Amino acid sequence: MKGRKILMIPGPVEFTPEVLQAMGLPTTSHLAPNFMDVFGQALERLREVFIAPSGQPFIIAGSGTLAMEMAAANLVEPGDRVLVVNTGLFGDRFVAILERHGAEVTQVTAPVGDVPSLEQVDAALQKGPFKLMTVTHVDTSTGVITDIRNLAHLGRKYDTLVVVDGVCSVAGEELRQDEWGIDLTLTASQKALGVPPGLAIVVAGPRAMEVFRRRKTPVRSFYADWTNWLPIMEAYEARQPAYFGTPPVNLIWALNVSLEQILAEGLDNRFARHRRISAAFKAGVTAIGLQLVPVSLEKAAHTLTTIYYPEGIDARLLPLISEAGAIVASGRHPVIKERYFRVGHMGAVTGADVLVTVGAIEWALARSGYRFDVGAGVAAAERVLAE
Ligand code: PMP
């Protein structure tokens, strides 16, 4: 027995051997010339991956939540009005972070599995002005995807900064920061960017940087303050030594490797691969009678799939799926937590991973007494992959 299981949760995901090798290289000084090259290159490549030629990238040690806090801390001053387009747990989290930084938050919400309509958001923005709006591109608790292109268009119409939580989307879902008029996109390393957890990543556009520069009050977080980090990012890009807080050298080395691999695949190819993998996985689980949490396929993300347990089945299914070789995740959204599970399929994921996972789910369901046409799920997934 090999004893190896594939990790199919919505982050961390499986990483390429080259990325993992970079994690194991001897750690250099953070001021070593070869590290300055790596950091500088990673910053330049982030602009390409975010499709944000005019953006200012920040790479900071921390998780995605720090990236959210960095957006809030640097753009919000006490009393500023902010609109949160809330599609689940991570919308709730943004509300909490923004309020902690003194924002007056208004929310637009939708039932679990759905997203607020553009008309709803437009109507809310009319009651502004709002200094900024935040949108979660893919909410990892519900598995829904928002229409960032059109939401950003609305932000522009009302002269409201558009902040996108792309933690579960960047480098997996189509996202074109500059072209779509997004002012700030944030993410973390451990999902579609394909690097072990530990990096908070932000790319801020010119309007966001201008709002930051014009602040009247100091940023209310020392660690998240761009005043401290901007000179560091600028220095590394100019291949000059600089220090504010010790960067996570090996993670940045690994990030640079992953960004190179992402760009070598080509962003459009990568988005298309995520769509194909997602379509195959969703075809597999729906072919055996399972129901997805998103209300329609148009509103379902391509980086993960959220699935209701069938009648009579509960979270005891997950250890069985693991026994069959695939590790998947439990529910996260408080309203439906016990009723569904989540499968991540992003980053270096392959069609073979999809077949193994659908097969493992089928095996676990069969062992749990669910009656269905065993093998129909794998066949449906394989048909999509073979198209
Ligand atoms: N936003 C979204 C959409 C996420 O999926 C996550 C993590 N699952 C976060 C924010 C927070 O990221 P982290 O767990 O790395 O702090």
Side-chain angles (χ1 to χ4, degrees):
M1 295 277 278
K2 287 197 289 182
R4 187 175 171 274
K5 300 172 193 293
I6 56 170
L7 185 61
M8 297 293 285
I9 64 172
V13 300
E14 297 211 335
F15 307 116
T16 66
E18 295 78 14
V19 165
L20 294 174
Q21 256 160 21
M23 291 296 294
L25 290 173
T27 304
T28 63
S29 158
H30 55 291
L31 304 175
N34 58 348
F35 180 66
M36 283 188 273
D37 268 341
V38 165
F39 204 142
Q41 211 168 40
L43 289 163
E44 288 157 4
R45 286 176 171 159
L46 275 181
R47 261 192 214 97
E48 287 184 64
V49 169
F50 282 61
I51 320 183
S54 73
Q56 173 59 54
F58 294 88
I59 305 172
I60 316 285
S63 78
T65 305
L66 175 70
M68 296 169 82
E69 183 139 34
M70 191 164 255
N74 287 282
L75 298 180
V76 168
E77 298 191 56
D80 283 344
R81 293 184 64 199
V82 177
L83 185 70
V84 172
V85 179
N86 190 340
T87 46
L89 192 71
F90 294 101
D92 295 344
R93 179 169 297 190
F94 232 149
V95 172
I97 294 171
L98 288 158
E99 286 179 344
R100 185 70 67 91
H101 287 275
E104 278 179 33
V105 177
T106 303
Q107 298 185 56
V108 196
T109 57
V112 176
D114 208 343
V115 299
S117 68
L118 291 171
E119 292 70 29
Q120 257 177 291
V121 177
D122 194 316
L125 283 167
Q126 263 176 41
K127 297 191 189 119
F130 292 97
K131 185 180 195 181
L132 63 117
M133 65 189 273
T134 70
V135 187
T136 315
H137 193 185
V138 169
D139 193 287
T140 325
S141 73
T142 55
V144 298
I145 186 166
T146 49
D147 178 357
I148 293 291
R149 184 204 293 251
N150 283 311
L151 287 167
H153 191 72
L154 284 179
R156 291 278 67 76
K157 177 172 152 193
Y158 290 95
D159 202 18
T160 295
L161 288 180
V162 177
V163 170
V164 174
D165 173 350
V167 172
C168 200
S169 79
V170 167
E173 303 282 1
E174 182 179 12
L175 187 64
R176 301 177 185 277
Q177 178 159 339
D178 274 17
E179 191 184 315
W180 291 0
I182 298 162
D183 294 298
L184 183 151
T185 308
L186 63 95
T187 194
S189 49
Q190 72 271 18
K191 303 198 194 226
L193 269 184
V195 183
L199 293 177
I201 292 170
V202 171
V203 178
R207 282 181 296 263
M209 292 310 293
E210 188 55 27
V211 163
F212 160 71
R213 286 196 184 92
R214 293 224 199 108
R215 288 182 69 92
K216 296 189 180 69
T217 59
V219 172
R220 297 211 287 189
S221 157
F222 186 71
Y223 186 67
D225 190 346
W226 286 343
T227 316
N228 296 322
W229 288 112
L230 182 59
I232 307 304
M233 300 302 137
E234 288 174 339
Y236 273 111
E237 216 172 332
R239 303 339 188 228
Q240 303 286 333
Y243 166 77
F244 168 63
T246 309
V249 172
N250 292 58
L251 275 170
I252 292 171
W253 216 290
L255 172 69
N256 194 38
V257 171
S258 192
L259 293 171
E260 184 180 13
Q261 293 181 332
I262 290 166
L263 293 169
E265 179 177 12
L267 288 172
D268 288 337
N269 293 336
R270 194 172 174 91
F271 301 149
R273 177 168 59 80
H274 280 81
R275 282 195 297 269
R276 190 169 64 252
I277 292 278
S278 168
F281 185 78
K282 287 173 174 66
V285 290
T286 52
I288 54 173
L290 303 187
Q291 196 201 325
L292 305 182
V293 174
V295 294
S296 68
L297 278 179
E298 291 69 46
K299 292 175 182 173
H302 308 97
T303 47
L304 83 158
T305 300
T306 47
I307 310 149
Y308 285 112
Y309 296 115
E311 189 79 32
I313 306 282
D314 58 26
R316 282 172 293 185
L317 187 72
L318 303 190
L320 291 176
I321 300 174
S322 169
E323 211 179 299
I327 299 167
V328 302
S330 56
R332 262 267 169 273
H333 193 287
V335 175
I336 54 168
K337 200 172 180 337
E338 314 297 334
R339 293 172 41 212
Y340 78 115
F341 65 106
R342 301 175 302 147
V343 177
H345 34 71
M346 60 191 126
V349 64
T350 65
D353 295 332
V354 168
L355 297 180
V356 168
T357 308
V358 174
I361 292 170
E362 287 202 33
W363 185 86
L365 283 170
R367 293 248 331 232
S368 306
Y370 176 61
R371 295 175 70 93
F372 66 109
D373 178 10
V374 177
V378 174
E382 191 151 16
R383 269 196 298 277
V384 174
L385 291 171
E387 265 166 22

